[in-house]
Amino acid sequence: MTNANRWKPRITPRAAAVGVVALAGITLAASWAAIALAAPAKPAGAGVTGMTDMAGMHGTAYDFTTLDNAKDLTFNQLLGINNEGVIAGYFGSGAAGHPNKGYLLPAPYGQGGYTGENFPGSAQTQVTGLNDNGATVGFWSSMDTASQVDNNFGFYKLADGSFHTVNFPTGDNAIPPVNQLLGVNDHDVAVGFYTNGAGNNRGYSYDIGTGTFTRVLVPGYPAGSAGPSLTAAAINDNGDIAGYYTNKAGVTVSFLDYAHGPFRTLPLFPGSTATTALGVNDHDEVVGTYTDGTGSSATMHGFTWTPGGGYTSVDDPSGAGTTTINGVNNEGDLVGFYTDSAGNTDGFLATPAHQTTLTVNLMPMPQGSVIVTPAAGGQDVIQVSAFGLTPGSAHTVLLFGNPIGTLTADGTGQASASFTVGGIPATARVKILDGGPGTSVIAQTAPLTNGDSGPYQLQALEPGFPQGSPQGQATITYDPSAQTITVTLTASGVSPGPHAAHIHIGSCQSQGPVQYMLKDFVANGNGVINHETRTVTGVTSVMLTGGWYLNLHQGDMSNIVSNGQPTISFRPLLCANI
């Protein structure tokens, strides 16, 4: 529930290096056989994007939501989240004429929920941390200069709305002074740092109730030594403090200083050149950012670390290589920011994804309707509309056993055509064949009644089975931690033998390309598929949220596609929207 940002003083936005902080330089054609989904783009002017999912290196998966205050869609950073889901952050890059402006945002995170929080009389304010009792902390400046060499003063605000400035008592301050509070726990103990005259950070805790300052120090340095440059970035309700310091080799490393235990230096994230802890919750889950590479080739990635599980890499899918995680609450919800493809800094919320199970009834295909309209000269017009056909396929239409025309499906499996006939015989049905004359009937209406225009519903047929007999049910489970989709299917009234099955993009009504392939389901000699299960691995896209459908096809995997295009055997037998 507490956090810190990462900045470097006296520099321009996005040029920041990890390890030093100040308010002025804040930074930080698809084939039918298979297709992968890209992460959704942020609509122009949008404050909230759609959610996407990405798994960490230890299997933790998150749903990501971009949250940007509409007052400035070019620069937002989310810095803390408490156990009630209230988020602290700010907008504005800190450049001259583009000042930082703090805010709070409670769930459900609509634009109307943003509440400005700025130190009275300040030119700039960042809200960096908050607890569950209504207290917030951060820092403010009386300046907004073109050089971005601005003073910083720590502050806390109580639930009664009163603001208070906090500056560590020292005669050795940077010029201009830099002092920030970055996190606060439910016991109203805050943590932060000041920068001394030599440009080194000195971390400390501050008890709001007693007004007591306590330095946070790295053990093992000579007696009387101030130790390395250190930032105390976050504190949990146990009093454990997380942050980062520069070790003797000049590398930024993270620490967790237990209130009733040792000072623990965390190892570097594997392969990284710097690891910066910025937040911690009551379970001692530490979050922050790590750096891969150096110089212009350096990339930033978020991380979580737990005492028992070690590191997990976490990148917002819209900002891979530019992700910073600043805050974490006891539910494991993360907040931070990333740089998007347009160069904007966007805030994000990442919530742990949970296993989702959905049970759906499978509709027999194709479906549709027939309408009869009287025409001049004793003729009738029969309008046939259908969906669930093989995309691009052509089907002979019969009336009373006689061909009356061809129904051709478009690229989504939909078809519509009108046929003029010279009167409708009694008990006549409209029938759709699986191709040209002589192929099997795949759908038909009830007998048409003279003078009744309908609509008459099409009922799917499977050769050798009674009308309307294809039916089934599927249970679909998405496990983001295991990165799997499991489909368990039961069906009857389908032709014996193997049947291909896929999860597609689109819907049963408007078919789209294949997203995930399943191993063929096999119907026995009675046309029954009995509770068979198939599993897809390596799933990193959000599932069971709409825009997907499950198809059981007429043919098997070997014959439903030819040269990247669907064959007539691609025709869906059973379908369900997810």
Side-chain angles (χ1 to χ4, degrees):
M1 73 175 102
T2 52
N3 49 30
N5 204 341
R6 43 174 280 272
W7 310 270
K8 186 174 181 179
R10 306 171 182 85
I11 59 174
T12 56
R14 298 192 188 92
V18 174
V20 208
V21 193
L23 191 146
I26 298 158
T27 49
L28 309 157
S31 164
W32 283 93
I35 186 171
L37 281 181
K42 183 173 69 173
V48 182
T49 68
M51 293 188 296
T52 50
D53 171 273
M54 181 170 288
M57 59 188 292
H58 288 288
T60 303
Y62 297 91
D63 293 327
F64 289 84
T65 305
T66 293
L67 297 173
D68 286 336
N69 192 319
K71 292 182 178 179
D72 184 353
L73 295 175
T74 69
F75 200 101
N76 281 257
Q77 294 188 353
L78 305 185
L79 307 181
I81 182 168
N82 69 11
N83 293 321
E84 304 301 318
V86 181
I87 296 172
Y90 74 99
F91 65 83
S93 68
H98 199 209
N100 306 152
K101 295 297 179 182
Y103 56 71
L104 296 179
L105 177 63
Y109 309 124
Q111 283 295 327
Y114 287 94
T115 301
E117 179 165 308
N118 294 282
F119 193 90
S122 65
Q124 301 192 76
T125 299
Q126 287 190 27
V127 186
T128 59
L130 71 170
N131 66 19
D132 296 328
N133 301 322
T136 58
V137 298
F139 54 98
W140 63 277
S141 178
S142 64
M143 308 165 69
D144 181 16
T145 64
S147 66
Q148 296 187 267
V149 182
D150 298 333
N151 54 25
N152 291 185
F153 307 101
F155 79 85
Y156 67 89
K157 189 195 79 169
L158 298 177
D160 63 9
S162 61
F163 284 85
H164 307 265
T165 294
V166 174
N167 291 308
F168 190 89
T170 179
D172 182 21
N173 277 310
I175 301 175
V178 174
N179 201 108
Q180 300 179 8
L181 293 184
L182 301 177
V184 62
N185 66 15
D186 285 349
H187 304 298
D188 289 340
V189 178
V191 293
F193 75 99
Y194 75 93
T195 303
N196 66 14
N200 293 315
N201 290 351
R202 300 300 182 217
Y204 64 83
S205 65
Y206 175 73
D207 189 315
I208 294 173
T210 64
T212 303
F213 292 88
T214 304
R215 281 288 308 279
V216 178
L217 299 168
V218 180
Y221 281 79
S225 169
S229 183
L230 179 148
T231 297
I235 183 170
N236 64 20
D237 286 348
N238 304 317
D240 304 334
I241 298 171
Y244 55 96
Y245 69 92
T246 305
N247 67 14
K248 294 177 181 179
V251 176
T252 299
V253 294
S254 298
F255 70 84
L256 184 58
D257 188 8
Y258 294 97
H260 304 291
F263 182 103
R264 180 174 184 174
T265 297
L266 305 185
L268 285 172
F269 188 98
S272 71
T273 55
T275 305
T276 308
L278 301 174
V280 64
N281 65 17
D282 293 344
H283 309 303
D284 285 330
E285 180 181 12
V286 177
V287 301
T289 187
Y290 69 92
T291 305
D292 266 342
T294 59
S296 60
S297 64
T299 57
M300 307 295 297
H301 308 271
F303 75 79
T304 68
W305 175 92
T306 60
Y311 282 107
T312 296
S313 182
V314 182
D315 267 325
D316 189 293
S318 297
T322 66
T323 298
T324 294
I325 300 174
N326 281 88
V328 58
N329 64 15
N330 289 343
E331 296 299 314
D333 302 327
L334 313 176
V335 291
F337 57 92
Y338 66 91
T339 303
D340 64 25
S341 59
N344 298 320
T345 298
D346 301 295
F348 73 83
L349 167 70
T351 55
H354 301 290
Q355 179 173 299
T356 306
T357 298
L358 181 68
T359 299
V360 294
N361 291 321
L362 296 164
M363 300 184 293
M365 294 284 116
Q367 295 211 5
S369 62
V370 171
I371 297 176
V372 179
T373 305
Q379 294 186 315
D380 294 300
V381 175
I382 296 177
Q383 182 178 349
V384 181
S385 299
F387 63 88
L389 300 168
T390 297
S393 60
H395 302 266
T396 296
V397 179
L398 305 180
L399 178 67
F400 208 65
N402 298 313
I404 59 173
T406 299
L407 189 67
T408 301
D410 64 14
T412 69
Q414 300 181 32
S416 182
S418 295
F419 309 99
T420 300
V421 298
I424 299 175
T427 69
R429 301 173 187 261
V430 173
K431 299 183 179 183
I432 299 175
L433 302 186
D434 199 21
T439 58
S440 301
V441 178
I442 58 173
Q444 68 180 15
T445 65
L448 306 183
T449 303
N450 191 27
D452 185 358
S453 63
Y456 297 87
Q457 298 302 311
L458 288 167
Q459 290 185 304
L461 283 176
E462 183 73 344
F465 293 91
Q467 179 172 317
S469 62
Q471 58 184 306
Q473 188 177 80
T475 299
I476 306 165
T477 298
Y478 171 50
D479 187 336
S481 295
Q483 297 185 352
T484 59
I485 298 171
T486 301
V487 178
T488 300
L489 187 144
T490 297
S492 61
V494 298
S495 54
H499 295 273
H502 305 110
I503 292 172
H504 295 253
I505 304 163
S507 66
C508 298
Q509 293 77 10
S510 182
Q511 298 173 55
V514 174
Q515 178 68 6
Y516 298 113
M517 295 184 183
L518 305 174
K519 182 181 176 182
D520 290 354
F521 289 90
V522 181
N524 64 22
N526 296 318
V528 174
I529 299 172
N530 189 18
H531 206 69
E532 292 188 7
T533 297
R534 304 290 185 263
T535 299
V536 181
T537 60
V539 178
T540 57
S541 298
V542 170
M543 270 295 302
L544 312 183
T545 56
W548 309 72
Y549 65 99
L550 171 66
N551 249 356
L552 184 75
H553 297 274
Q554 170 64 50
D556 59 39
M557 189 64 71
S558 68
N559 62 23
I560 62 171
V561 174
S562 177
N563 297 321
Q565 296 300 313
T567 68
I568 195 67
S569 298
F570 187 92
R571 179 174 63 83
L573 291 183
L574 293 167
C575 185
N577 292 323
I578 301 174

